Amino acid sequence: MATTEPIIPGFHPDPSACRVGDTYYLINSSFEYLPGIPVHASTDLVTWTLIGNALTRDSQIAENDGYASAGIFAPTIRHHDGQFWIIGTNVNEIPLGRGHLLIHADDPAGPWSDPVHIAGAVGIDPDIVWDDEGVAHVTWHSLNPAQPGILSAPVDTATGAMLGAPRQLWQGTGLSAPEGPHLYRVNGWWYLLLAEGGTERGHTATIARARSLDEPFESAPNNPFLTHRSLAHPVQNVGHADLIELADGSWAAVHLGVRPVGPSPGFHLNGRESFLVGIEWVDGWPVADEDRFVVPAVDRSFDDRFDSPELHPRWLGIGRFPATFTRPGPNGGLVVDADAGEGRALIVARAADSEWAVETTFAADGGEGRLLLRIDDFHWYGLTYDGHTVEASVTIGPIVHVLGQWNPPAGAVPTLRLAAKAPRPLPHGISLEPDLIELSASVGDTAYSFGELDGRYLSTEVAGGFTGRVFGVQALRGQIHIHHLSYTTAPDYHATT
Ligand code: 6LW
């Protein structure tokens, strides 16, 4: 059961990874959140550290408070000739016809360059690879109705210009949504890996090979070589993989998966996550070894007092860079300013565990703030505080409902708390909910619970889309002053997954 534990849990979909020496780097899709494209590093492939984000300024990506699952889709990271390269798609730019964005960096922690765009490449999920002559080839899932499918073209990485007309490569085994292409040069072959079947329960990874990019690709005899479709496995939606050669010459693949829980049809709560499998090459084809790696449990708790001048890279804005609406507090902490520019003044971080608690205290300072857990604008639970009253509210689709109010003792700043808890077990082992979200507030020993809500309304199966749960604090009015925000992994987490 080695693969039941993600290597990077929480909303970290579409992993792509590369290696330099003994160090591995992994990136993910980031959709509406900015800064975009989280970059993790590892030396053992099973424990990863967030070292930065690739898209950190508006000269790389325009701020855009639009549809939650637009923005950055499925990027690829590679290292070539002493430099790191990331190619990705900003879906908000597809109508502009701008093409995929290509950036590079000396240090994967950043800063990353301003982008060049692959003009004329209209689609998603781009990959970049260099051939034996050093020419870069970009491969993507085309959204151009005149030339659909998986396309590939040589490009000039300095300008983004295509150096030849796009050609169609292998279109997959015939399952739906062939996408997420990655091309590799291995032992004189070109291997083309695809995600097929769609990013839901039918998801798979498939592969084919050809001697040259102009020849027909031959599908692997063991396709799909990685999938959990129709299996009674706690990790589902397995697909969208990227192969990596390890320092010792063995191989592995990072891939996307989810952990659905609760009653049928199963609800996944923290989004699409990053997993790892070993790869054996058998007769020239990759075969997944799902038991090769054991991923250790990691305590992801933190207590952020915002006492360094730069925000930790875990903090994101919705279509906005947090630096545009936050600043260090006068005596520590963080000021979040609802009046700073357009859009929401909301900092969020990804929920990573099955059970956790988030606590914060902030001074309303004449304004009003909210601690919330969200999957998108139409699915969130929150606690607002205006200096006098704590109010709990939920938004589920078009239904906006106030659960209740609590007045803490005058003059006291309450601690606001959201906690994800295990569902109520039923005698036959099936729970009624995927999890429960408790909303509460306290001052000292006096606590008030607004109740425990079914967590399914903050799941992808209910909300739709490609992201996952994030928690954070929003200034609704004026400038609120956050003293701290802590995230605590429940100690019994592993007993419940
Ligand atoms: C991505 C596609 C996919 O573009 O989901 O799981 C889409 N695979 O390849 C959004 O992440």
Side-chain angles (χ1 to χ4, degrees):
M1 299 294 278
T3 51
T4 59
E5 198 73 32
I7 49 170
I8 308 184
F11 153 46
H12 289 102
D14 310 322
S16 171
C18 70
R19 177 180 64 83
V20 181
D22 293 334
T23 309
Y24 301 91
Y25 300 96
L26 187 152
I27 61 170
N28 299 97
S29 308
S30 47
F31 301 97
E32 64 177 329
Y33 295 100
L34 294 178
I37 310 185
V39 183
H40 283 80
S42 174
T43 51
D44 60 10
L45 280 170
V46 291
T47 51
W48 293 82
T49 306
L50 178 65
I51 58 169
N53 294 282
L55 301 175
T56 52
R57 53 188 193 278
D58 58 7
S59 58
Q60 297 171 305
I61 179 170
E63 293 190 328
N64 184 314
D65 193 352
Y67 171 58
S69 285
I72 296 293
F73 271 36
T76 297
I77 186 167
R78 296 289 180 257
H79 185 259
H80 175 74
D81 223 2
Q83 272 199 323
F84 291 89
W85 295 85
I86 288 178
I87 189 161
T89 311
N90 178 358
V91 169
N92 295 319
E93 291 184 335
I94 288 179
L96 308 177
R98 199 175 262 174
H100 312 297
L101 58 87
L102 177 64
I103 55 178
H104 59 90
D106 297 330
D107 180 349
W112 286 79
S113 70
D114 283 349
V116 295
H117 292 91
I118 317 298
V122 179
I124 56 169
D125 299 358
D127 172 81
I128 189 164
V129 64
W130 283 262
D131 66 20
D132 299 341
E133 283 72 51
V135 176
H137 295 261
V138 169
T139 306
W140 69 98
H141 168 87
S142 171
L143 295 175
N144 177 358
Q147 197 181 13
I150 303 295
L151 301 186
S152 185
V155 298
D156 178 344
T157 54
T159 63
M162 286 196 240
L163 301 173
R167 58 194 148 188
Q168 281 196 330
L169 302 185
W170 183 58
Q171 302 306 316
T173 62
L175 301 179
S176 65
E179 57 191 10
H182 290 302
L183 258 185
Y184 312 91
R185 193 88 177 110
V186 184
N187 290 340
W189 291 93
W190 285 103
Y191 284 85
L192 175 60
L193 187 156
L194 296 183
E196 286 192 72
T199 191
E200 300 84 19
R201 295 294 188 270
H203 211 196
T204 71
T206 57
I207 198 157
R209 69 181 185 184
R211 283 287 180 195
S212 91
L213 294 177
D214 296 311
E215 286 173 32
F217 277 71
E218 172 199 1
S219 178
N222 59 331
N223 274 330
F225 75 95
L226 180 63
T227 185
H228 286 176
R229 61 183 183 176
S230 302
L231 296 183
H233 195 287
V235 181
Q236 290 290 316
N237 302 22
V238 162
H240 200 113
D242 195 9
L243 299 173
I244 344 161
E245 185 175 6
L246 279 58
D248 65 3
S250 63
W251 288 70
V254 292
H255 68 87
L256 176 156
V258 305
R259 294 178 288 170
V261 286
S264 178
F267 301 86
H268 71 275
L269 305 171
N270 287 341
R272 301 175 304 154
E273 308 182 294
S274 292
F275 291 83
L276 177 72
V277 292
I279 293 288
E280 298 291 339
W281 290 88
V282 178
D283 298 331
W285 296 107
V287 174
D289 172 2
E290 301 204 14
D291 296 323
R292 165 124 33 108
F293 294 100
V294 176
V295 180
V298 173
D299 183 349
R300 295 173 199 278
S301 306
F302 67 83
D303 185 1
D304 201 333
R305 301 199 167 251
F306 305 101
D307 41 18
S308 53
E310 298 264 315
L311 276 179
H312 189 281
R314 69 168 69 96
W315 293 113
L316 309 170
I318 298 174
R320 300 181 77 187
F321 293 102
T324 62
F325 57 86
T326 63
R327 58 180 182 270
N331 306 305
L334 186 76
V335 173
V336 185
D337 187 349
D339 300 326
E342 296 290 312
R344 279 159 295 175
L346 168 58
I347 56 159
V348 294
R350 296 162 171 93
D353 299 297
S354 300
E355 291 185 65
W356 50 260
V358 168
E359 292 188 353
T360 190
T361 50
F362 60 81
D365 284 346
E368 185 176 12
R370 175 183 287 146
L371 171 68
L372 86 174
L373 178 67
R374 84 187 288 265
I375 196 158
D376 64 22
D377 283 346
F378 305 103
H379 301 87
W380 56 265
Y381 302 162
L383 292 162
T384 49
Y385 174 60
D386 62 2
H388 307 284
T389 303
V390 180
E391 181 174 280
S393 55
V394 302
T395 292
I396 302 169
I399 319 262
V400 182
H401 178 67
V402 174
L403 287 176
Q405 294 184 333
W406 180 63
N407 287 320
V413 175
T415 299
L416 308 182
R417 184 171 195 272
L418 295 171
K421 305 168 127 185
R424 289 167 289 183
L426 291 180
H428 47 83
I430 297 172
S431 55
L432 288 179
E433 316 90 1
D435 69 348
L436 292 169
I437 306 297
E438 182 174 27
L439 293 82
S440 63
S442 63
V443 170
D445 293 338
T446 310
Y448 183 85
S449 175
F450 295 92
E452 293 178 341
L453 304 180
D454 189 325
R456 82 181 62 195
Y457 305 110
L458 306 186
S459 74
T460 298
E461 282 74 7
V462 170
F466 296 134
T467 62
R469 285 180 180 172
V470 295
F471 56 83
V473 173
Q474 179 171 10
L476 297 166
R477 212 163 33 78
Q479 291 94 46
I480 65 165
H481 186 172
I482 308 178
H483 299 309
H484 85 107
L485 193 151
S486 67
Y487 172 84
T488 312
T489 302
D492 56 349
Y493 156 53
H494 289 282
T496 61
T497 52

